[in-house]
Amino acid sequence: MPASTPSPAPPAPTSPAEPEAEGTTDSAQTTSAAPDGTRSTTAGKPAAQGGAGGTAGPATERPAPQGDAGDADDTGDTRSTTAASPAVQDPTGEAAGETPGAPRGRGAGARLARLRAWRERYPRAARAVWWATTVLSVVLVYLALLLPVPLTGFEPRMLLRLPGEAVVIAAVLTALPRRPRVVVAALGGAGLAALTVVNLLDMGFGSYLGRGFNLVLDWELLDDARSYLADSLGGTTTALLTAGVLVLVVALFAGMAAAMVRIGTVLGRDAQQSTRATLVAGTVWITCSVLTVQLAGQPLTVHRAAGALNAQTDRVRDTLRDEAAFGKEARADRFGNTPAAQLLPDLRGKDVVFTFIESYGRSAIEDPVMAPGVDRTLASSTAALEKAGYRAKSGWLTSATYGGSSWLGHSTTLSGLWIDNQQRYRTVMASDHLSLTKAFQKTGAWDTVGVMPGVQKGWPEQKYYGLDKVYNAFQLGYQGPKFSWSTMPDQYALEAYQRLVHGKQRDKPLMSEIILTSSHQPWAPIPKMVGWDQLGDGSVFGPIEKAGRRAGDVIADTTASREEYGKSIQYSVTALTQWLERYGTDDTVLVFLGDHQPISRVSGTHASRDVPVSIVAKDPKVLDRIAGWGWTDGLRPAHGAPVWKMSAFRDRFLLAYGSTPHPSGG
């Protein structure tokens, strides 16, 4: 570009001082006022004509007070010498509107110089940006150090704490020289971001499953969560949410690293002052901790980040230890060597049906919002069954899971082992430990079948449960709409079971395992009962599904969720008991129970893990065998009825119906 004769530049506006880019200086002398009132003076030679930048002359710089070299900050709190070169006019007009003296190169030094020129031109805006980014950095790190907090029952006062980790971070960053400080701050920010992600998962798992996130075992459950959202909210919405979460995670890592670097830079400006402030903060924290000072009814001092890290470390260590210990426990089986002839002799000739009702928990019966409707359903169903000649006894079992992971409840009930995590589940599924359902198969006296409307892919667990045949979601002939996660209404699943299995003539009695899914969250829309003769292929449920509430209207509303949950339990219990009234025989024995309590948003933060369990039969001898259990007559267990661990059910059931123990393993 042709050079032009430079004209004197107007006086540079006051702006925050900025440390020089390496190898770059300005050429004209200027005195500017920094935002905090300090002044910096620079001197240099005029820029050479004929280019946008020219060769800078030597600059004289006053050392930054009490800080590291190069820690000068864009607020202008350090004294440095900068120079603004006169603007070079371009006859072609290409330089129009450019900040005088701003290089137009593409290198890092040029970009830094352009940024510095902008700050000199707009000092108030630069000062506002500096304060905003600093405050945001402090807030981001502060909030991360206060996690985890409970999602259910969260109150803002929980954030009025002094995290001890903040004092440690300040001390480390203040003590380090500039370059190591930047590296340590960036790595520490990335580490804090990773801990924040784990803490957020921990909070979500605590709210939904009543337990913390396990770094070893729970990653695979995230795919189940995505599938649940796809079924509840739709594939497009779920894809957008997934993409949004990934973007937020990346932004969290970048933002946390940048925030820590910013905090380190601020602390490094004046090492002596930062050291004094850190010592004061540490003294205050220790004093408040020792004296247990409280604010808004809570301890003022906390060390949540360190506690969360220790908790995750302990959880990982315990998980690894548990793997070997549980493997040994699974090999020991009280009935492992029991001959077929000595298994369940008192149920020979009976059609036995084990049914799990999704999320059927104690809260459905005793919570003041859900209980009135559910109790009416249990009372009317008990009366209807008694009219048909059936009697029932009911008690409580404490589930191994809460809020979800239904398969853990199923396997705990049928294996007689406490299976509360995915590792234990995999261990049992690969073992020879006798399941209650497989005991029926082992006798050779029953045909065994599973009805699993929630299974939509291969299910290798069929072998462990000893099921000769399994009907999944695609093998029951359903042509109606899905109801959120549930692939079909319970009434249809039971009618399909009757048509395909129970209603057919066979040489042996039948043992069945049925999983009912209509009471699965988000409890919208909920099916309604129709005439059993009108079910057909399920198309009759189309208008019912369209008229029901949408999952998005219920999924985040506590009151609506509790109301709809209660209605879903009423529907499932009604469908099951009406099936028994309609299709049961003198030899039918029905065992049904919940797999776990609903999530804490519905059951409450202090709910137990208890679920109801009932045994229903016409033959009085079947219930006489469990008379010593102390269970309540009818389908509603009394508040004070016996409570057993769910893992105790298998052995008690086998013993009650005549099985003889012959231990194996151990």
Side-chain angles (χ1 to χ4, degrees), residues 70-320:
D71 279 342
D73 165 84
D74 56 353
T75 64
D77 287 341
T78 60
R79 299 174 183 272
S80 63
T81 58
T82 60
S85 61
V88 178
Q89 302 297 323
D90 185 352
T92 66
E94 292 178 357
E98 290 187 359
T99 302
R104 290 183 289 121
R106 295 186 178 182
R111 287 195 297 270
L112 181 61
R114 286 197 296 272
L115 177 61
R116 181 173 62 249
W118 177 85
R119 288 169 173 168
E120 291 175 350
R121 189 171 183 179
Y122 304 103
R124 291 184 178 179
R127 183 178 177 85
V129 169
W130 186 91
W131 278 108
T133 54
T134 301
V135 170
L136 287 174
S137 297
V138 172
V139 169
L140 180 62
V141 173
Y142 171 78
L143 293 177
L145 293 177
L146 290 180
L147 296 180
V149 295
L151 290 177
T152 305
F154 170 78
E155 298 178 11
R157 65 189 179 93
M158 295 178 180
L159 301 179
L160 300 176
R161 308 289 187 89
L162 297 177
E165 297 86 353
V167 179
V168 176
I169 290 172
V172 171
L173 295 182
T174 300
L176 291 173
R178 178 180 178 275
R179 290 185 182 276
R181 182 173 63 242
V182 171
V183 174
V184 170
L187 293 177
L192 184 58
L195 181 61
T196 300
V197 170
V198 173
N199 282 337
L200 292 173
L201 289 171
D202 205 57
M203 292 160 58
F205 271 63
S207 177
Y208 277 82
L209 301 180
R211 63 175 180 83
F213 178 75
N214 191 304
L215 279 168
V216 178
L217 304 176
D218 288 338
W219 294 108
E220 62 187 86
L221 298 184
L222 299 182
D223 186 60
D224 292 330
R226 185 196 59 78
S227 299
Y228 161 70
L229 289 176
D231 290 329
S232 302
L233 303 178
T236 302
T237 301
T238 301
L240 293 174
L241 287 174
T242 302
V245 168
L246 293 176
V247 170
L248 286 176
V249 169
V250 173
L252 176 63
F253 273 82
M256 196 71 75
M260 289 285 279
V261 171
R262 162 67 75 172
I263 292 171
T265 300
V266 173
L267 291 171
R269 281 171 26 208
D270 191 333
Q272 292 183 4
Q273 184 177 352
S274 297
T275 300
R276 286 194 297 268
T278 301
L279 288 174
V280 171
T283 302
V284 170
W285 193 92
I286 293 172
T287 302
C288 292
S289 180
V290 171
L291 298 179
T292 62
V293 176
Q294 294 193 346
L295 179 65
Q298 298 183 111
L300 180 62
T301 57
V302 293
H303 45 83
R304 288 193 179 278
L309 188 59
N310 288 335
Q312 289 296 338
T313 302
D314 291 342
R315 200 170 292 159
V316 169
R317 183 175 59 249
D318 292 343
T319 298
L320 298 177

Side-chain angles (χ1 to χ4, degrees), residues 151-153 207-208 367 369-370 522-523 549 552-566 599-605:
L151 290 177
T152 305
S207 177
Y208 277 82
D367 182 89
V369 173
M370 292 93 72
W523 309 296
R549 302 184 70 168
D553 300 331
V554 174
I555 199 168
D557 187 324
T558 298
T559 300
S561 292
R562 298 175 79 191
E563 292 172 348
E564 299 306 298
Y565 163 74
I599 59 176
S600 60
R601 178 159 44 86
V602 171
S603 59
T605 55

Side-chain angles (χ1 to χ4, degrees), residues 147-510:
L147 296 180
V149 295
L151 290 177
T152 305
F154 170 78
E155 298 178 11
R157 65 189 179 93
M158 295 178 180
L159 301 179
L160 300 176
R161 308 289 187 89
L162 297 177
E165 297 86 353
V167 179
V168 176
I169 290 172
V172 171
L173 295 182
T174 300
L176 291 173
R178 178 180 178 275
R179 290 185 182 276
R181 182 173 63 242
V182 171
V183 174
V184 170
L187 293 177
L192 184 58
L195 181 61
T196 300
V197 170
V198 173
N199 282 337
L200 292 173
L201 289 171
D202 205 57
M203 292 160 58
F205 271 63
S207 177
Y208 277 82
L209 301 180
R211 63 175 180 83
F213 178 75
N214 191 304
L215 279 168
V216 178
L217 304 176
D218 288 338
W219 294 108
E220 62 187 86
L221 298 184
L222 299 182
D223 186 60
D224 292 330
R226 185 196 59 78
S227 299
Y228 161 70
L229 289 176
D231 290 329
S232 302
L233 303 178
T236 302
T237 301
T238 301
L240 293 174
L241 287 174
T242 302
V245 168
L246 293 176
V247 170
L248 286 176
V249 169
V250 173
L252 176 63
F253 273 82
M256 196 71 75
M260 289 285 279
V261 171
R262 162 67 75 172
I263 292 171
T265 300
V266 173
L267 291 171
R269 281 171 26 208
D270 191 333
Q272 292 183 4
Q273 184 177 352
S274 297
T275 300
R276 286 194 297 268
T278 301
L279 288 174
V280 171
T283 302
V284 170
W285 193 92
I286 293 172
T287 302
C288 292
S289 180
V290 171
L291 298 179
T292 62
V293 176
Q294 294 193 346
L295 179 65
Q298 298 183 111
L300 180 62
T301 57
V302 293
H303 45 83
R304 288 193 179 278
L309 188 59
N310 288 335
Q312 289 296 338
T313 302
D314 291 342
R315 200 170 292 159
V316 169
R317 183 175 59 249
D318 292 343
T319 298
L320 298 177
R321 289 175 177 174
D322 181 68
E323 183 175 6
F326 183 72
K328 182 178 180 180
E329 181 182 350
R331 289 191 295 271
D333 190 344
R334 189 178 183 185
F335 293 91
N337 287 330
T338 299
Q342 297 180 22
L343 286 170
L344 301 160
D346 296 336
L347 285 177
R348 300 298 169 98
K350 304 295 185 185
D351 289 329
V352 183
V353 184
F354 293 97
T355 304
F356 290 92
I357 297 179
E358 170 66 36
S359 300
Y360 180 31
R362 189 166 192 149
S363 297
I365 294 176
E366 297 187 345
D367 182 89
V369 173
M370 292 93 72
V374 175
D375 285 349
R376 285 194 300 271
T377 297
L378 293 175
S380 62
S381 297
T382 298
L385 288 174
E386 288 180 350
K387 185 176 180 181
Y390 290 94
R391 310 285 292 185
K393 285 186 176 293
S394 302
W396 303 105
L397 299 176
T398 301
S399 178
T401 186
Y402 173 95
S405 301
S406 302
W407 57 92
L408 302 182
H410 304 163
S411 56
T412 297
T413 302
L414 299 178
S415 71
L417 296 168
W418 190 254
I419 306 174
D420 59 352
N421 62 53
Q422 199 65 15
Q423 178 176 274
R424 288 188 164 213
Y425 180 77
R426 289 194 296 264
T427 298
V428 170
M429 291 301 111
S431 74
D432 294 326
H433 194 90
L434 185 68
S435 66
L436 180 54
T437 46
K438 195 169 188 176
F440 285 84
Q441 184 191 55
K442 184 177 179 179
T443 65
W446 280 273
D447 291 331
T448 60
V449 66
V451 177
M452 312 287 178
V455 172
Q456 302 180 59
K457 54 186 178 182
W459 198 60
E461 289 90 335
Q462 174 181 350
K463 179 180 178 182
Y464 174 77
Y465 287 117
L467 302 175
D468 301 327
K469 170 69 177 176
V470 169
Y471 292 87
N472 64 25
F474 309 110
Q475 296 171 315
L476 295 171
Y478 183 66
Q479 299 299 317
K482 293 181 66 174
F483 284 74
S484 292
W485 184 88
S486 179
T487 58
M488 65 190 70
D490 292 345
Q491 186 185 11
Y492 179 88
L494 291 165
E495 176 66 24
Y497 165 65
Q498 178 64 27
R499 181 181 72 252
L500 297 171
V501 183
H502 188 261
K504 290 187 174 181
Q505 295 291 329
R506 58 183 62 251
D507 298 331
K508 299 177 182 178
L510 188 66

